[in-house]
C-alpha cells in the first residue's frame, strides 16, 4: 500500500495539476473571448461603414431628386405664370377658409 507521505505527495500533485488545468482553461477562455470580441468589433465596424456609405448615397440621390424637382417646378412657373398664380391664389383661399373655420 501507499505510505502517508506518498498519499500526501499524490494529493499535492493532483492539486497542482488541477490548478494548472484551471489556469490553462481560464487563459484559453480569455483568448477565445478576446478573439470573439475582436471579430465582433470588426464586424460592427464593417456594418457601420456600409450603413454610412448607404446613407451618403441616399443623401446624394435625395439632393439630386430635390434639385431636379425644384428646377422642374421653377421652369413650370416661368412657362405658365398665370396658371401658377391662380393655383397659388386657390391654395391661399383654401388655407384661409380652413383657418377661419377653426
Amino acid at each position: 500500500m501507499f505510505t502517508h507521505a506518498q498519499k500526501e505527495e499524490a494529493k499535492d500533485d493532483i492539486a497542482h495539476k488541477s490548478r494548472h488545468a484551471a489556469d490553462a482553461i481560464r487563459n484559453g477562455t480569455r483568448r477565445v473571448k478576446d478573439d470573439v470580441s475582436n471579430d465582433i468589433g470588426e464586424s460592427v465596424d464593417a456594418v457601420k461603414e456600409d450603413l454610412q456609405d448607404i446613407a451618403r448615397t441616399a443623401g446624394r440621390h435625395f439632393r439630386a431628386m430635390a434639385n431636379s424637382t425644384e428646377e422642374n417646378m421653377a421652369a413650370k412657373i416661368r412657362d405658365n405664370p398665370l396658371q401658377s398664380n391662380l393655383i397659388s391664389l386657390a391654395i391661399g383661399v383654401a388655407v384661409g377658409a380652413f383657418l377661419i373655420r377653426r
Side-chain angles (χ1 to χ4, degrees):
M1 290 299 266
F2 295 106
T3 66
H4 180 67
Q6 289 173 329
K7 289 179 186 177
E8 287 298 316
E9 185 180 327
K11 182 178 162 184
D12 290 343
D13 187 46
I14 290 171
H16 174 72
K17 287 179 181 179
S18 296
R19 280 192 298 275
H20 181 71
D23 288 343
I25 290 171
R26 235 181 270 116
N27 290 336
T29 303
R30 192 174 301 122
R31 278 194 306 272
V32 168
K33 181 192 85 148
D34 291 343
D35 289 347
V36 168
S37 293
N38 289 339
D39 290 347
I40 289 172
E42 290 171 2
S43 296
V44 167
D45 289 343
V47 168
K48 181 180 171 184
E49 289 175 15
D50 289 346
L51 289 175
Q52 287 174 339
D53 289 343
I54 290 168
R56 278 190 218 101
T57 301
R60 280 194 300 272
H61 287 300
F62 180 75
R63 279 190 295 281
M65 195 170 62
N67 290 338
S68 173
T69 302
E70 181 182 349
E71 290 168 5
N72 288 341
M73 290 300 292
K76 286 184 181 196
I77 291 170
R78 271 193 308 276
D79 294 344
N80 303 305
L82 181 61
Q83 184 182 9
S84 299
N85 284 321
L86 290 175
I87 290 171
S88 297
L89 177 65
I91 291 172
V93 168
V95 169
F98 177 74
L99 292 176
I100 290 173
R101 285 189 182 180
R102 289 185 120 196

